[in-house]
Amino acid sequence: MESIPVKRTIILKVDSERPEIDKISIAAEVIRRGGLVAFPTETVYGLGADALNPVAVRDIYLAKMRPLDNPIIVHVADKNDVYKLAENVPESAERLMNLFWPGPLTLILKASEIVPRVTTGGLDTIAIRMPKHTVALSLIKMSERPIAAPSANLAGRPSPTLAEHVIQDLYGRIDVIIDAGPTNIGVESTVLDMTHEPPQILRPGGVTYEELKTVLGNIIIHPAAVARSEVHVEHARSPGMKHKHYAPKAEMIVVEGKFDSIVEKVKELAEQYFRAGRRVGVLATDESLQEYNFSLWTVKSLGSRSNLASAAKRLFRLLREFDEEGVDIIIAEGVPQEGLGLAIMNRLRRAAGYNIVRVD
Ligand code: TXA
Ligand code: MG
């Protein structure tokens, strides 16, 4: 791991609904002084710093070992701040803010002069969202700064949905970790580019394509967000698209197609890898659990296929659990690409490095 000076990381346990003011004020003071604070949002834990302090933001990249061209989402607690951070905010963006904020929707807008280019990864656009989490909102308000925060994991690893995940990746590399228990949604926000006509989803997430389409009428999904293979750098509109992401240490295969065929294929692959001496993990759903061999394979369920919200919530935690339990190949069932399923499939495919088996 890259050597940065070792930090004495403080862990603050707070109540997720009624966060203790004295603890939030300690974290807010760290933000004001240019330090790094990991905090919960409704999607995943973020690694925050003062978005307007270029030195503090650079430290985020160093702590995460994040490539410097991958811009960071700026979190606000007040819609008025959008007009300080961005220019030419279209009426459609205002409509979305009114409907979906606070919530898991990030808007890409033209950046104003006050935003350091290290925050935007050198781009002239800025990503902004208002998180729906009492702890995140009180931290932003008390620090009196917009807070730049990528997910609080080492670059490339699954995003953290528990403070324990942040501790695994970043303990000793950042100043404060606020622990308020598990996050609610489990996959990151939807990134919507409002500088593109029609608006374009760069990353599917907590607010679905269907919901956005109802409001805006005309929106498109960037091909890379639904791709079954890696995107070429020149086609990557969002720098995050081209970087390795969400990957467990284990190798991973996603099986896609009709449900019955998926289950048959997962069993076949699991048997094959087991016979080859591998430690096999199966990422299943409740409907298929009884099909798998629990005595030979490590089987975990995303929950019912009819409840994709629970699948989203568990996804990253289960990927990390397979690693902890020493699994070296994960075979995952795909889910339908509807609603939250689009975000789940985007994460699964990328976690698998586009190692996809189709069975129809
Ligand atoms: O739910 C979330 O969005 C979480 C929580 C902490 O808010 N944050 C998060 O941040 O997932 P991060 O850095 O892991 O992902 C941000 C994504 C990246 O894919 C990045 O490339 C993209 O947003 N992004 C940020 N600014 C952008 C810009 N100006 N233009 C295009 N893409 C941008
Ligand atoms: Mg991330």
Side-chain angles (χ1 to χ4, degrees):
M1 215 183 281
E2 187 170 334
S3 66
I4 54 172
V6 176
K7 289 193 169 179
R8 219 187 110 253
T9 306
I10 305 171
I11 299 172
L12 302 171
K13 261 198 181 305
V14 308
D15 186 288
S16 69
E17 258 114 63
R18 275 179 238 87
E20 297 78 351
I21 294 301
D22 52 328
K23 294 183 184 166
I24 301 297
S25 81
I26 294 171
E29 183 59 23
V30 170
I31 296 279
R32 274 197 296 274
R33 289 173 186 234
L36 302 184
V37 175
F39 63 97
T41 77
E42 80 281 31
T43 57
V44 300
Y45 275 76
L47 176 59
D50 177 352
L52 302 180
N53 176 341
V55 178
V57 173
R58 196 216 43 212
D59 285 346
I60 294 180
Y61 289 89
L62 294 177
K64 274 192 61 126
M65 301 199 291
R66 180 183 182 96
L68 276 160
D69 67 350
N70 195 3
I72 297 178
I73 298 172
V74 177
H75 296 68
V76 298
D78 180 345
K79 276 178 211 140
N80 292 317
D81 287 345
V82 171
Y83 303 91
K84 299 174 191 151
L85 299 164
E87 286 169 4
N88 314 333
V89 180
E91 189 271 329
S92 50
E94 287 171 351
R95 222 160 357 119
L96 294 173
M97 291 188 253
N98 291 330
L99 284 168
F100 295 105
W101 282 10
L105 177 65
T106 296
L107 300 175
I108 308 290
L109 300 162
K110 188 174 179 334
S112 76
E113 297 277 282
I114 67 162
V115 183
R117 283 324 187 239
V118 63
T119 303
T120 66
L123 300 176
D124 57 13
T125 54
I126 180 174
I128 311 181
R129 87 174 188 102
M130 187 190 291
K132 189 178 181 166
H133 195 295
T134 313
V135 173
L137 291 171
S138 26
L139 178 66
I140 301 165
K141 283 182 200 147
M142 285 196 89
S143 61
E144 300 176 304
R145 306 281 190 283
I147 295 186
S151 50
N153 50 280
L154 285 171
R157 300 268 300 136
S159 296
T161 56
L162 290 172
E164 284 72 33
H165 302 155
V166 183
I167 295 169
Q168 285 167 4
D169 281 18
L170 298 175
Y171 191 86
R173 300 175 73 82
I174 63 178
D175 299 294
V176 175
I177 298 172
I178 303 180
D179 178 355
T183 62
N184 193 31
I185 296 179
V187 290
E188 303 86 341
S189 62
T190 303
V191 177
L192 183 65
D193 188 349
M194 299 304 295
T195 69
H196 189 277
E197 190 48 50
Q200 185 176 43
I201 294 179
L202 301 181
R203 179 179 71 182
V207 172
T208 64
Y209 164 77
E210 292 86 346
E211 288 174 282
L212 292 171
K213 182 131 182 104
T214 308
V215 177
L216 292 181
N218 195 12
I219 60 164
I220 55 173
I221 306 176
H222 192 287
V226 285
R228 293 207 170 87
S229 61
E230 209 134 4
V231 275
H232 292 290
V233 173
E234 60 271 25
H235 297 140
R237 188 163 171 95
S238 179
M241 286 173 177
K242 65 175 193 267
H243 296 294
K244 181 173 144 72
H245 226 315
Y246 314 117
K249 289 168 191 147
E251 204 183 313
M252 187 165 155
I253 302 173
V254 188
V255 182
E256 301 183 10
K258 283 218 321 286
F259 177 53
D260 292 347
S261 325
I262 289 178
V263 177
E264 286 315 306
K265 193 63 175 184
V266 171
K267 280 198 282 194
E268 183 191 318
L269 289 169
E271 267 157 33
Q272 189 184 316
Y273 280 97
F274 181 78
R275 266 187 270 117
R278 304 286 296 272
R279 296 186 64 174
V280 173
V282 172
L283 187 58
T285 47
D286 288 354
E287 288 79 356
S288 56
L289 269 184
Q290 73 287 352
E291 300 282 336
Y292 300 124
N293 192 331
F294 279 74
S295 54
L296 302 184
W297 315 325
T298 302
V299 184
K300 295 179 187 291
S301 176
L302 285 170
S304 169
R305 300 180 80 80
S306 62
N307 184 355
L308 292 176
S310 83
K313 189 166 177 164
R314 289 182 201 181
L315 174 62
F316 289 134
R317 177 164 54 83
L318 296 185
L319 294 182
R320 282 184 183 251
E321 281 180 15
F322 281 122
D323 279 346
E324 281 157 34
E325 291 165 34
V327 161
D328 61 37
I329 175 129
I330 302 167
I331 303 163
E333 289 181 9
V335 298
Q337 285 195 75
E338 290 147 24
L340 273 177
L342 188 67
I344 294 170
M345 286 312 294
N346 169 273
R347 306 308 188 274
L348 280 176
R349 288 168 175 163
R350 297 187 65 191
Y354 297 100
N355 213 348
I356 298 165
V357 174
R358 279 204 66 88
V359 284
D360 49 14

